[in-house]
Every structure is written in C-alpha cells, then in structure tokens.
Amino acid sequence: MKNKINYLPILFIFYTLTSFYEPHNSDTTPSQQKRALYLSGLERAVIDELNLARTQPKVYAEFLTSYAACFIGHELHEPGKPILMTREGISAVNEAVRFLRNQKPLPELLPSQGMSRGANDMVRMQGTTTQTGHQGRDGSTFSERINRYGTWGGSSSENIDYGNNNARRIVMALIIDDGVRSRGHRKSIFEPRFRRVGVAFGSHKAYDYMCVIEYAVDYTEKKTR
C-alpha cells in the first residue's frame, strides 16, 4: 500500500506601486534577456512553461486535463510516486482547465537577471531552514530583494512553490492553486500587465525543493561595472 503525504504549500504575494513607476530603460536587449545564460536549465524551463501557459492557454489546458486523470477524489495517484493528499482534489484541476480554456493569450514574460538574483537571495536564505513564506531571514520583503539589483515599477508579485523539481509540475501547481481561495498564484501568471520575470530554484530543508518566481510590470536593471 502506498504511503500518503499531505499537499505541499505554494505561496503568493502581490504589491502595487503606481507612484514608483519608471519607464523601462535597461541596456539589455530582449534577445539577450531571452538567452538568460545566468539561469540554470530548470530555471529557464520554468520561464518557458510560464510563457507557454500565457501565450497558449488552451494548449496548457490539455496538460491539466491529462493530469486530472491521476486524481481519485482528493488523492493524487501518479505512477511510481507516493499518494498526495490535496485540499480540493480534482475539482481544483477541473476549475483550472475551465479557466485556461477561457483565457485569452498574453505576451511572453522577459527574463530579468536582477529579479532572478533577488529570487535567489530568498532561496539561499530559506532553503536551509524549514520555514516557508515571503519574508527573508534578514527581514526583507521580496520587493526589497529585487530592488537590490534594479528598480521595479508599476506592480510586482512573488510566487513560491515547494516540493517540485520539474518545470511543468511547478507551473501546473501554481495555476491549479489548490487550497488558495484567491487563486493568487494563477492571477500572477496571467496578469496582463506583467512583462518581466525572475526565477531561482534550489533545495529546501523541509520540502526538498523550492522555486521562487518574481514578476513585475517594469524593471530597470542596475548597471554593473
């Protein structure tokens, strides 16, 4: 008989700052941003998944439709893996499928090195602990962390996924948003104003893995010497 484990949390936070908005003026061209050689393969894959979901939501709905077949009530039965107990079960997956089928395509997100460095600060601080949440061990907020390496404008958001080490599973979990009444993670992914993204992936003491994703309407990279 397979062991059962409880669902793994995903966390979301969203800030808006209209008075702080500055036009984007980065020296980095979009083509350079897309290459994003400062990211690991998995981190680039997460951005690819986010952009696939944004630009082709109906295609992404089919991934979730296949995923729904693994559910028996609130239990997720994936071949070769322990049974995962979720809060909402298949109903959350089906609701996400309906959302995606009605979602209009959105522009791709462009990777940001500064935002990714801010995300990595959070991975380094929290990964060695059993803590979850958005406050860093140094007391920092996510907006403060990404502002160490540039300036965000318009609005910004942070998603954190725990327990997944596969890009598609990370993004699917955030879109399904099991147990999150506001569906805040999903709203971040499909926020039409967002144009920039930063990602960092690493280990976590309690959940094995964590992935931090930063979003912003606008981001001006800090010039490096």
mmCIF file of all heavy atoms in Angstrom, residues 54-93:
data_model
loop_
_atom_site.group_PDB
_atom_site.id
_atom_site.type_symbol
_atom_site.label_atom_id
_atom_site.label_comp_id
_atom_site.label_asym_id
_atom_site.label_seq_id
_atom_site.Cartn_x
_atom_site.Cartn_y
_atom_site.Cartn_z
ATOM 1 N N ARG A 54 0.956 31.366 -20.814
ATOM 2 C CA ARG A 54 0.448 32.704 -21.133
ATOM 3 C C ARG A 54 0.072 32.834 -22.612
ATOM 4 O O ARG A 54 -0.947 33.445 -22.939
ATOM 5 C CB ARG A 54 1.490 33.759 -20.775
ATOM 6 C CG ARG A 54 1.533 34.117 -19.303
ATOM 7 C CD ARG A 54 2.683 35.047 -18.993
ATOM 8 N NE ARG A 54 2.565 36.346 -19.635
ATOM 9 C CZ ARG A 54 2.035 37.451 -19.073
ATOM 10 N NH1 ARG A 54 1.561 37.391 -17.830
ATOM 11 N NH2 ARG A 54 1.994 38.591 -19.727
ATOM 12 N N THR A 55 0.900 32.302 -23.491
ATOM 13 C CA THR A 55 0.664 32.507 -24.924
ATOM 14 C C THR A 55 -0.273 31.474 -25.545
ATOM 15 O O THR A 55 -0.921 31.757 -26.551
ATOM 16 C CB THR A 55 1.998 32.490 -25.692
ATOM 17 O OG1 THR A 55 2.639 31.217 -25.533
ATOM 18 C CG2 THR A 55 2.922 33.598 -25.195
ATOM 19 N N GLN A 56 -0.354 30.276 -24.934
ATOM 20 C CA GLN A 56 -1.214 29.218 -25.467
ATOM 21 C C GLN A 56 -1.993 28.546 -24.332
ATOM 22 O O GLN A 56 -1.813 27.354 -24.058
ATOM 23 C CB GLN A 56 -0.376 28.186 -26.223
ATOM 24 C CG GLN A 56 0.401 28.753 -27.391
ATOM 25 C CD GLN A 56 1.118 27.679 -28.171
ATOM 26 O OE1 GLN A 56 0.497 26.769 -28.742
ATOM 27 N NE2 GLN A 56 2.436 27.747 -28.195
ATOM 28 N N PRO A 57 -2.855 29.308 -23.674
ATOM 29 C CA PRO A 57 -3.573 28.738 -22.516
ATOM 30 C C PRO A 57 -4.428 27.524 -22.849
ATOM 31 O O PRO A 57 -4.562 26.619 -22.013
ATOM 32 C CB PRO A 57 -4.418 29.914 -22.018
ATOM 33 C CG PRO A 57 -4.498 30.867 -23.174
ATOM 34 C CD PRO A 57 -3.225 30.706 -23.915
ATOM 35 N N LYS A 58 -4.984 27.459 -24.045
ATOM 36 C CA LYS A 58 -5.813 26.303 -24.408
ATOM 37 C C LYS A 58 -4.963 25.043 -24.544
ATOM 38 O O LYS A 58 -5.418 23.941 -24.208
ATOM 39 C CB LYS A 58 -6.591 26.597 -25.697
ATOM 40 C CG LYS A 58 -7.701 27.620 -25.514
ATOM 41 C CD LYS A 58 -8.472 27.845 -26.802
ATOM 42 C CE LYS A 58 -9.674 28.766 -26.566
ATOM 43 N NZ LYS A 58 -9.266 30.090 -26.067
ATOM 44 N N VAL A 59 -3.741 25.199 -25.030
ATOM 45 C CA VAL A 59 -2.825 24.054 -25.086
ATOM 46 C C VAL A 59 -2.494 23.595 -23.666
ATOM 47 O O VAL A 59 -2.483 22.390 -23.374
ATOM 48 C CB VAL A 59 -1.534 24.434 -25.841
ATOM 49 C CG1 VAL A 59 -0.478 23.338 -25.686
ATOM 50 C CG2 VAL A 59 -1.831 24.681 -27.311
ATOM 51 N N TYR A 60 -2.244 24.540 -22.791
ATOM 52 C CA TYR A 60 -1.910 24.191 -21.411
ATOM 53 C C TYR A 60 -3.081 23.527 -20.704
ATOM 54 O O TYR A 60 -2.882 22.696 -19.812
ATOM 55 C CB TYR A 60 -1.449 25.426 -20.640
ATOM 56 C CG TYR A 60 -0.247 25.133 -19.779
ATOM 57 C CD1 TYR A 60 1.040 25.126 -20.315
ATOM 58 C CD2 TYR A 60 -0.392 24.807 -18.435
ATOM 59 C CE1 TYR A 60 2.137 24.819 -19.542
ATOM 60 C CE2 TYR A 60 0.705 24.497 -17.650
ATOM 61 C CZ TYR A 60 1.963 24.503 -18.207
ATOM 62 O OH TYR A 60 3.047 24.176 -17.446
ATOM 63 N N ALA A 61 -4.290 23.880 -21.104
ATOM 64 C CA ALA A 61 -5.467 23.241 -20.512
ATOM 65 C C ALA A 61 -5.452 21.736 -20.745
ATOM 66 O O ALA A 61 -5.912 20.958 -19.889
ATOM 67 C CB ALA A 61 -6.739 23.856 -21.092
ATOM 68 N N GLU A 62 -4.922 21.313 -21.885
ATOM 69 C CA GLU A 62 -4.880 19.884 -22.183
ATOM 70 C C GLU A 62 -3.904 19.148 -21.273
ATOM 71 O O GLU A 62 -4.127 17.988 -20.929
ATOM 72 C CB GLU A 62 -4.514 19.668 -23.657
ATOM 73 C CG GLU A 62 -5.541 20.238 -24.630
ATOM 74 C CD GLU A 62 -6.961 19.807 -24.298
ATOM 75 O OE1 GLU A 62 -7.185 18.576 -24.170
ATOM 76 O OE2 GLU A 62 -7.835 20.674 -24.137
ATOM 77 N N PHE A 63 -2.822 19.805 -20.871
ATOM 78 C CA PHE A 63 -1.901 19.186 -19.913
ATOM 79 C C PHE A 63 -2.627 18.902 -18.600
ATOM 80 O O PHE A 63 -2.460 17.839 -17.994
ATOM 81 C CB PHE A 63 -0.706 20.095 -19.630
ATOM 82 C CG PHE A 63 0.118 20.450 -20.834
ATOM 83 C CD1 PHE A 63 0.853 21.616 -20.864
ATOM 84 C CD2 PHE A 63 0.161 19.615 -21.940
ATOM 85 C CE1 PHE A 63 1.626 21.950 -21.965
ATOM 86 C CE2 PHE A 63 0.929 19.933 -23.053
ATOM 87 C CZ PHE A 63 1.659 21.103 -23.058
ATOM 88 N N LEU A 64 -3.422 19.876 -18.165
ATOM 89 C CA LEU A 64 -4.140 19.717 -16.902
ATOM 90 C C LEU A 64 -5.255 18.691 -17.024
ATOM 91 O O LEU A 64 -5.572 17.984 -16.054
ATOM 92 C CB LEU A 64 -4.706 21.056 -16.433
ATOM 93 C CG LEU A 64 -3.792 21.836 -15.471
ATOM 94 C CD1 LEU A 64 -2.511 22.259 -16.180
ATOM 95 C CD2 LEU A 64 -4.506 23.060 -14.918
ATOM 96 N N THR A 65 -5.847 18.577 -18.212
ATOM 97 C CA THR A 65 -6.883 17.564 -18.428
ATOM 98 C C THR A 65 -6.297 16.166 -18.249
ATOM 99 O O THR A 65 -6.912 15.290 -17.612
ATOM 100 C CB THR A 65 -7.486 17.711 -19.835
ATOM 101 O OG1 THR A 65 -8.089 19.001 -19.962
ATOM 102 C CG2 THR A 65 -8.537 16.645 -20.093
ATOM 103 N N SER A 66 -5.106 15.951 -18.777
ATOM 104 C CA SER A 66 -4.438 14.657 -18.600
ATOM 105 C C SER A 66 -4.074 14.429 -17.136
ATOM 106 O O SER A 66 -4.194 13.314 -16.617
ATOM 107 C CB SER A 66 -3.172 14.603 -19.468
ATOM 108 O OG SER A 66 -3.497 14.719 -20.840
ATOM 109 N N TYR A 67 -3.639 15.485 -16.474
ATOM 110 C CA TYR A 67 -3.259 15.413 -15.064
ATOM 111 C C TYR A 67 -4.460 15.035 -14.197
ATOM 112 O O TYR A 67 -4.317 14.290 -13.217
ATOM 113 C CB TYR A 67 -2.707 16.771 -14.657
ATOM 114 C CG TYR A 67 -2.133 16.880 -13.268
ATOM 115 C CD1 TYR A 67 -1.066 16.097 -12.855
ATOM 116 C CD2 TYR A 67 -2.641 17.822 -12.374
ATOM 117 C CE1 TYR A 67 -0.519 16.234 -11.591
ATOM 118 C CE2 TYR A 67 -2.098 17.972 -11.108
ATOM 119 C CZ TYR A 67 -1.039 17.174 -10.717
ATOM 120 O OH TYR A 67 -0.506 17.315 -9.471
ATOM 121 N N ALA A 68 -5.641 15.522 -14.558
ATOM 122 C CA ALA A 68 -6.850 15.249 -13.775
ATOM 123 C C ALA A 68 -7.156 13.756 -13.696
ATOM 124 O O ALA A 68 -7.760 13.285 -12.728
ATOM 125 C CB ALA A 68 -8.038 15.993 -14.376
ATOM 126 N N ALA A 69 -6.717 13.003 -14.701
ATOM 127 C CA ALA A 69 -6.969 11.560 -14.713
ATOM 128 C C ALA A 69 -6.230 10.830 -13.595
ATOM 129 O O ALA A 69 -6.549 9.680 -13.280
ATOM 130 C CB ALA A 69 -6.571 10.977 -16.059
ATOM 131 N N CYS A 70 -5.250 11.495 -12.973
ATOM 132 C CA CYS A 70 -4.480 10.884 -11.890
ATOM 133 C C CYS A 70 -5.160 11.030 -10.530
ATOM 134 O O CYS A 70 -4.645 10.522 -9.524
ATOM 135 C CB CYS A 70 -3.086 11.503 -11.820
ATOM 136 S SG CYS A 70 -2.074 11.246 -13.294
ATOM 137 N N PHE A 71 -6.279 11.742 -10.478
ATOM 138 C CA PHE A 71 -6.940 12.005 -9.205
ATOM 139 C C PHE A 71 -8.040 10.995 -8.906
ATOM 140 O O PHE A 71 -8.805 10.594 -9.777
ATOM 141 C CB PHE A 71 -7.553 13.408 -9.206
ATOM 142 C CG PHE A 71 -6.568 14.505 -8.906
ATOM 143 C CD1 PHE A 71 -5.749 15.005 -9.902
ATOM 144 C CD2 PHE A 71 -6.446 15.023 -7.627
ATOM 145 C CE1 PHE A 71 -4.833 16.014 -9.634
ATOM 146 C CE2 PHE A 71 -5.539 16.020 -7.342
ATOM 147 C CZ PHE A 71 -4.726 16.520 -8.349
ATOM 148 N N ILE A 72 -8.105 10.600 -7.655
ATOM 149 C CA ILE A 72 -9.247 9.867 -7.112
ATOM 150 C C ILE A 72 -9.727 10.690 -5.926
ATOM 151 O O ILE A 72 -9.118 10.679 -4.848
ATOM 152 C CB ILE A 72 -8.862 8.437 -6.673
ATOM 153 C CG1 ILE A 72 -8.306 7.646 -7.858
ATOM 154 C CG2 ILE A 72 -10.071 7.735 -6.061
ATOM 155 C CD1 ILE A 72 -7.811 6.263 -7.482
ATOM 156 N N GLY A 73 -10.777 11.435 -6.127
ATOM 157 C CA GLY A 73 -11.237 12.356 -5.088
ATOM 158 C C GLY A 73 -10.184 13.411 -4.801
ATOM 159 O O GLY A 73 -9.720 14.110 -5.694
ATOM 160 N N HIS A 74 -9.754 13.474 -3.537
ATOM 161 C CA HIS A 74 -8.729 14.438 -3.138
ATOM 162 C C HIS A 74 -7.321 13.859 -3.215
ATOM 163 O O HIS A 74 -6.355 14.544 -2.905
ATOM 164 C CB HIS A 74 -8.996 14.931 -1.710
ATOM 165 C CG HIS A 74 -10.129 15.898 -1.607
ATOM 166 N ND1 HIS A 74 -11.426 15.548 -1.869
ATOM 167 C CD2 HIS A 74 -10.157 17.218 -1.282
ATOM 168 C CE1 HIS A 74 -12.213 16.593 -1.694
ATOM 169 N NE2 HIS A 74 -11.462 17.620 -1.350
ATOM 170 N N GLU A 75 -7.210 12.612 -3.647
ATOM 171 C CA GLU A 75 -5.916 11.944 -3.693
ATOM 172 C C GLU A 75 -5.327 11.979 -5.100
ATOM 173 O O GLU A 75 -6.016 11.675 -6.079
ATOM 174 C CB GLU A 75 -6.038 10.496 -3.235
ATOM 175 C CG GLU A 75 -6.467 10.348 -1.788
ATOM 176 C CD GLU A 75 -6.577 8.892 -1.379
ATOM 177 O OE1 GLU A 75 -6.446 8.001 -2.256
ATOM 178 O OE2 GLU A 75 -6.807 8.644 -0.179
ATOM 179 N N LEU A 76 -4.044 12.336 -5.179
ATOM 180 C CA LEU A 76 -3.317 12.329 -6.447
ATOM 181 C C LEU A 76 -2.506 11.039 -6.533
ATOM 182 O O LEU A 76 -1.631 10.791 -5.703
ATOM 183 C CB LEU A 76 -2.390 13.537 -6.540
ATOM 184 C CG LEU A 76 -1.451 13.595 -7.753
ATOM 185 C CD1 LEU A 76 -2.244 13.626 -9.058
ATOM 186 C CD2 LEU A 76 -0.542 14.808 -7.651
ATOM 187 N N HIS A 77 -2.823 10.214 -7.530
ATOM 188 C CA HIS A 77 -2.156 8.936 -7.728
ATOM 189 C C HIS A 77 -1.318 9.001 -9.006
ATOM 190 O O HIS A 77 -1.816 8.726 -10.096
ATOM 191 C CB HIS A 77 -3.187 7.805 -7.849
ATOM 192 C CG HIS A 77 -3.959 7.548 -6.607
ATOM 193 N ND1 HIS A 77 -3.783 6.417 -5.829
ATOM 194 C CD2 HIS A 77 -4.930 8.284 -5.982
ATOM 195 C CE1 HIS A 77 -4.607 6.459 -4.798
ATOM 196 N NE2 HIS A 77 -5.314 7.584 -4.861
ATOM 197 N N GLU A 78 -0.055 9.366 -8.870
ATOM 198 C CA GLU A 78 0.847 9.362 -10.017
ATOM 199 C C GLU A 78 1.685 8.101 -9.987
ATOM 200 O O GLU A 78 2.182 7.700 -8.928
ATOM 201 C CB GLU A 78 1.748 10.590 -9.997
ATOM 202 C CG GLU A 78 1.020 11.889 -10.280
ATOM 203 C CD GLU A 78 1.979 13.038 -10.490
ATOM 204 O OE1 GLU A 78 2.384 13.656 -9.485
ATOM 205 O OE2 GLU A 78 2.325 13.321 -11.651
ATOM 206 N N PRO A 79 1.861 7.442 -11.129
ATOM 207 C CA PRO A 79 2.621 6.185 -11.170
ATOM 208 C C PRO A 79 4.019 6.343 -10.579
ATOM 209 O O PRO A 79 4.752 7.279 -10.907
ATOM 210 C CB PRO A 79 2.700 5.889 -12.675
ATOM 211 C CG PRO A 79 1.515 6.586 -13.263
ATOM 212 C CD PRO A 79 1.342 7.838 -12.455
ATOM 213 N N GLY A 80 4.369 5.449 -9.673
ATOM 214 C CA GLY A 80 5.692 5.441 -9.096
ATOM 215 C C GLY A 80 5.932 6.468 -8.013
ATOM 216 O O GLY A 80 7.059 6.617 -7.530
ATOM 217 N N LYS A 81 4.900 7.184 -7.604
ATOM 218 C CA LYS A 81 5.058 8.216 -6.583
ATOM 219 C C LYS A 81 4.105 7.966 -5.419
ATOM 220 O O LYS A 81 3.055 7.325 -5.592
ATOM 221 C CB LYS A 81 4.782 9.604 -7.175
ATOM 222 C CG LYS A 81 5.781 10.030 -8.235
ATOM 223 C CD LYS A 81 5.492 11.444 -8.706
ATOM 224 C CE LYS A 81 6.490 11.888 -9.757
ATOM 225 N NZ LYS A 81 6.234 13.277 -10.210
ATOM 226 N N PRO A 82 4.434 8.476 -4.216
ATOM 227 C CA PRO A 82 3.500 8.353 -3.097
ATOM 228 C C PRO A 82 2.188 9.063 -3.390
ATOM 229 O O PRO A 82 2.157 10.032 -4.165
ATOM 230 C CB PRO A 82 4.243 9.039 -1.938
ATOM 231 C CG PRO A 82 5.674 9.061 -2.345
ATOM 232 C CD PRO A 82 5.685 9.168 -3.831
ATOM 233 N N ILE A 83 1.117 8.604 -2.783
ATOM 234 C CA ILE A 83 -0.170 9.266 -2.928
ATOM 235 C C ILE A 83 -0.089 10.628 -2.257
ATOM 236 O O ILE A 83 0.378 10.754 -1.126
ATOM 237 C CB ILE A 83 -1.291 8.429 -2.293
ATOM 238 C CG1 ILE A 83 -1.422 7.091 -3.010
ATOM 239 C CG2 ILE A 83 -2.624 9.190 -2.342
ATOM 240 C CD1 ILE A 83 -2.359 6.128 -2.318
ATOM 241 N N LEU A 84 -0.542 11.659 -2.962
ATOM 242 C CA LEU A 84 -0.509 13.016 -2.439
ATOM 243 C C LEU A 84 -1.915 13.455 -2.058
ATOM 244 O O LEU A 84 -2.838 13.402 -2.874
ATOM 245 C CB LEU A 84 0.063 13.972 -3.487
ATOM 246 C CG LEU A 84 0.225 15.429 -3.074
ATOM 247 C CD1 LEU A 84 1.296 15.559 -1.993
ATOM 248 C CD2 LEU A 84 0.601 16.285 -4.272
ATOM 249 N N MET A 85 -2.101 13.865 -0.812
ATOM 250 C CA MET A 85 -3.391 14.348 -0.349
ATOM 251 C C MET A 85 -3.489 15.853 -0.611
ATOM 252 O O MET A 85 -2.682 16.623 -0.093
ATOM 253 C CB MET A 85 -3.558 14.065 1.147
ATOM 254 C CG MET A 85 -3.637 12.590 1.491
ATOM 255 S SD MET A 85 -5.088 11.770 0.776
ATOM 256 C CE MET A 85 -6.407 12.668 1.571
ATOM 257 N N THR A 86 -4.441 16.245 -1.417
ATOM 258 C CA THR A 86 -4.643 17.661 -1.726
ATOM 259 C C THR A 86 -5.845 18.197 -0.960
ATOM 260 O O THR A 86 -6.632 17.435 -0.399
ATOM 261 C CB THR A 86 -4.864 17.859 -3.229
ATOM 262 O OG1 THR A 86 -6.093 17.225 -3.612
ATOM 263 C CG2 THR A 86 -3.721 17.270 -4.039
ATOM 264 N N ARG A 87 -5.981 19.505 -0.947
ATOM 265 C CA ARG A 87 -7.114 20.103 -0.234
ATOM 266 C C ARG A 87 -8.406 20.016 -1.038
ATOM 267 O O ARG A 87 -9.468 19.728 -0.508
ATOM 268 C CB ARG A 87 -6.806 21.563 0.100
ATOM 269 C CG ARG A 87 -5.812 21.742 1.227
ATOM 270 C CD ARG A 87 -5.683 23.195 1.604
ATOM 271 N NE ARG A 87 -4.833 23.379 2.770
ATOM 272 C CZ ARG A 87 -4.571 24.556 3.318
ATOM 273 N NH1 ARG A 87 -5.080 25.663 2.815
ATOM 274 N NH2 ARG A 87 -3.792 24.639 4.390
ATOM 275 N N GLU A 88 -8.321 20.328 -2.332
ATOM 276 C CA GLU A 88 -9.533 20.412 -3.153
ATOM 277 C C GLU A 88 -9.690 19.255 -4.118
ATOM 278 O O GLU A 88 -10.780 19.015 -4.632
ATOM 279 C CB GLU A 88 -9.538 21.717 -3.936
ATOM 280 C CG GLU A 88 -9.542 22.969 -3.082
ATOM 281 C CD GLU A 88 -9.462 24.224 -3.929
ATOM 282 O OE1 GLU A 88 -10.453 24.536 -4.618
ATOM 283 O OE2 GLU A 88 -8.404 24.877 -3.923
ATOM 284 N N GLY A 89 -8.606 18.554 -4.392
ATOM 285 C CA GLY A 89 -8.682 17.417 -5.288
ATOM 286 C C GLY A 89 -8.958 17.792 -6.726
ATOM 287 O O GLY A 89 -8.607 18.871 -7.202
ATOM 288 N N ILE A 90 -9.645 16.903 -7.423
ATOM 289 C CA ILE A 90 -9.870 17.072 -8.857
ATOM 290 C C ILE A 90 -10.688 18.312 -9.192
ATOM 291 O O ILE A 90 -10.578 18.866 -10.280
ATOM 292 C CB ILE A 90 -10.542 15.797 -9.441
ATOM 293 C CG1 ILE A 90 -10.459 15.820 -10.970
ATOM 294 C CG2 ILE A 90 -11.969 15.663 -8.929
ATOM 295 C CD1 ILE A 90 -10.909 14.518 -11.603
ATOM 296 N N SER A 91 -11.489 18.783 -8.256
ATOM 297 C CA SER A 91 -12.325 19.957 -8.542
ATOM 298 C C SER A 91 -11.470 21.186 -8.852
ATOM 299 O O SER A 91 -11.823 21.993 -9.716
ATOM 300 C CB SER A 91 -13.263 20.251 -7.365
ATOM 301 O OG SER A 91 -12.529 20.595 -6.203
ATOM 302 N N ALA A 92 -10.338 21.331 -8.165
ATOM 303 C CA ALA A 92 -9.454 22.473 -8.428
ATOM 304 C C ALA A 92 -8.810 22.354 -9.804
ATOM 305 O O ALA A 92 -8.624 23.353 -10.504
ATOM 306 C CB ALA A 92 -8.375 22.567 -7.354
ATOM 307 N N VAL A 93 -8.457 21.129 -10.192
ATOM 308 C CA VAL A 93 -7.858 20.912 -11.513
ATOM 309 C C VAL A 93 -8.869 21.233 -12.604
ATOM 310 O O VAL A 93 -8.569 21.935 -13.576
ATOM 311 C CB VAL A 93 -7.354 19.466 -11.655
ATOM 312 C CG1 VAL A 93 -6.675 19.272 -13.007
ATOM 313 C CG2 VAL A 93 -6.397 19.113 -10.529
#
